[in-house]
Amino acid sequence: MAGKPSRRLDAVEPYIFAEIAARRTAAAARGLEIIDLGRGGPDYPPHLEAMEELAVEAADPANYGYTSYAGSPDFQRAVADWYERHFAVRPAGTVPLSGSKGGLSRVFMALCDPGDTVILPEPAFPSYRSAAVLAGLEIHPLVLRPQNGWRPLLTEIPDDVAERARLLYLNYPTNPTGATVERGDLEGVVAWAAEHDVLIVYDNAYNLLVFDGPPLSILSLPGAAEVALEFHTLSKAYGMAGLRAAYACGQSTALDALRKIELYHQAGLFGPALDACSVALDQGDDYVAGNVEILRRRRELVSGRLDAMGWEHTSPGGAAYFFLRLDGDGDDSAFCRELLDTRGVVLTPGSAFGAAGAGWVRLALTRPAAELETALERIARFRDEHGA
Ligand code: PMP
């Protein structure tokens, strides 16, 4: 049959956030007032001077040609300066990315051959798993557990898996749990990776969005530059998800491989977008601190409301998510579906983040306080009626 999807594509679940978006549109069409705490894009405005830079540069017709594959020299410098300021390390090179999702997905193809083993955390951002499946890889899940603060317990990785694994993905602050990681834990991960010859792919998407301590880059640890590739994005801390701007730094042969595969998939970022990113990275420290404060206040609000509901919960140390356990390990997909269909509140089912997320739901702090309060009132009534 013409146009029949590949077996490879058939092996991947339908993309959960697109499905939820369609359901949300249908609920809105039925007249429900929607409060979307599902998708993880922040609602705060971007850095003002970065937007102004974008507007000025976008008005110049000279800026509509192809740009350098390497990004502008100024973008490269801005990334290196930003790293140095926040993490006291200056990476040797940077690969600009049109959003980090694509780069994190293509790393599998750049660094693995079909049948290779990769270790992926669970629960985690669903793109890792689907991209690894599309690349024909064998996945060993590293299950993260609430009783361990969602930290990576590498002792649980069997020796034979450690010996043959090519990559270990990690993401802290973590989507979907909001957990952060201690420096000591990461030192252990770096030592483990060096011992087993495994590359760490460290997704630092929420980089500066940390509430209780300094932000952490794996590349700031001794020895990490030999075993880790780190990804950052301007989608979260800088509120520019629609601009699609991100970058990777780290281990040089892996970075070269990523650079090469990106050459075949993208043709440089929009020049004015790169200029806007440089401005945000150079001048946006106070702006980001303001965003952290916004999220911190929302975290306190939600925490208080959940306590009042008697709903056991963990509080995020970073990122912008609460991960909430349903009573009796209830059906998280049914819970989210019904909550959206009847109350207009969008949450994300934990099972979207892998089997280890089943029985949980994710609440994103991506709406203003008043909407969060209304959403929590609706959720409280829904739970009372459903005994969830
Ligand atoms: N990593 C994580 C953990 C995420 O949550 C997201 C977005 N939700 C991304 C990567 C991708 O971000 P972007 O493509 O916008 O850079």
Side-chain angles (χ1 to χ4, degrees):
M1 191 203 20
K4 183 173 168 296
S6 62
R7 284 196 295 279
R8 194 185 285 131
L9 189 63
D10 275 342
V12 173
E13 308 269 296
Y15 193 58
I16 180 79
F17 291 100
E19 289 206 325
I20 293 172
R23 223 178 167 84
R24 179 201 137 119
T25 306
R30 286 198 309 276
L32 274 177
E33 183 214 13
I34 304 293
I35 302 179
D36 193 339
L37 310 179
R39 212 170 167 193
D43 61 326
Y44 38 71
H47 181 249
L48 181 63
E49 284 77 10
M51 280 197 291
E52 287 170 351
E53 175 76 5
L54 181 65
V56 168
E57 296 302 324
D60 182 348
N63 284 336
Y64 284 80
Y66 287 119
T67 55
S68 158
Y69 297 113
S72 65
D74 195 50
F75 177 76
Q76 294 270 343
R77 178 214 45 82
V79 169
D81 284 356
W82 178 88
Y83 252 103
E84 198 160 18
R85 236 175 29 254
H86 290 287
F87 306 118
V89 60
R90 197 169 180 89
T94 299
V95 173
L97 299 162
S98 175
S100 61
K101 183 174 170 177
L104 284 160
S105 300
R106 288 190 282 273
V107 161
F108 292 114
M109 252 202 292
L111 297 176
C112 301
D113 292 304
D116 281 352
T117 298
V118 292
I119 303 170
L120 303 182
E122 206 184 286
F125 184 43
S127 283
Y128 308 153
R129 186 182 175 81
S130 49
V133 169
L134 288 171
L137 306 180
E138 216 173 275
I139 297 164
H140 181 86
L142 176 62
V143 175
L144 311 176
R145 297 192 182 84
Q147 59 269 34
N148 305 315
W150 309 100
R151 291 192 175 129
L153 288 187
L154 301 180
T155 47
E156 292 192 355
I157 301 172
D159 287 345
D160 62 313
V161 173
E163 286 321 309
R164 67 173 188 273
R166 305 293 305 273
L167 307 175
L168 164 67
Y169 269 57
L170 287 178
N171 159 234
Y172 291 95
T174 301
N175 176 8
T177 65
T180 49
V181 72
E182 301 286 329
R183 199 176 180 86
D185 281 327
L186 284 192
E187 282 166 358
V189 173
V190 168
W192 178 92
E195 183 190 339
H196 296 285
D197 229 356
V198 173
L199 184 89
I200 305 160
V201 176
Y202 197 80
D203 178 6
N204 209 339
Y206 297 88
N207 50 40
L208 304 181
L209 296 183
V210 175
F211 306 121
D212 308 314
L216 190 54
S217 158
I218 196 164
L219 295 183
S220 67
L221 300 179
E226 282 82 60
V227 292
L229 188 62
E230 181 166 71
F231 285 77
H232 293 276
T233 175
L234 281 98
S235 296
K236 310 292 181 179
Y238 293 87
M240 300 205 283
L243 198 69
R244 310 308 300 137
Y247 44 94
C249 301
Q251 207 264 0
S252 65
T253 51
L255 197 66
D256 285 346
L258 176 65
R259 189 177 285 119
K260 180 174 174 185
I261 202 154
E262 288 299 303
L263 290 175
Y264 288 99
H265 286 87
Q266 64 176 27
L269 275 70
F270 183 42
L274 285 168
D275 295 339
C277 289
S278 302
V279 170
L281 293 174
D282 280 343
Q283 302 173 28
D285 291 356
D286 290 344
Y287 156 81
V288 172
N291 293 341
V292 171
E293 276 316 303
I294 291 172
L295 294 175
R296 189 200 305 278
R297 283 198 296 273
R298 292 179 187 174
R299 176 182 73 157
E300 300 320 318
L301 170 90
V302 170
S303 221
R305 291 294 187 281
L306 293 171
D307 288 342
M309 274 188 228
W311 196 347
E312 187 195 322
H313 64 88
T314 51
S315 276
Y321 305 115
F322 276 81
F323 208 42
L324 306 168
R325 189 182 241 148
L326 300 180
D327 286 348
D329 291 331
D331 180 339
D332 51 292
S333 297
F335 180 93
C336 292
R337 246 189 340 259
E338 231 178 291
L339 181 69
L340 170 55
D341 289 350
T342 63
R343 314 293 155 121
V345 177
V346 186
L347 300 181
T348 310
S351 51
F353 305 97
W360 296 73
V361 295
R362 190 190 76 172
L363 180 153
L365 300 172
T366 46
R367 299 302 305 158
E371 278 188 47
L372 285 170
E373 289 200 61
T374 309
L376 286 161
E377 281 163 21
R378 291 189 202 170
I379 294 170
R381 278 200 298 275
F382 179 77
R383 284 180 84 232
D384 286 347
E385 285 162 29
H386 288 74

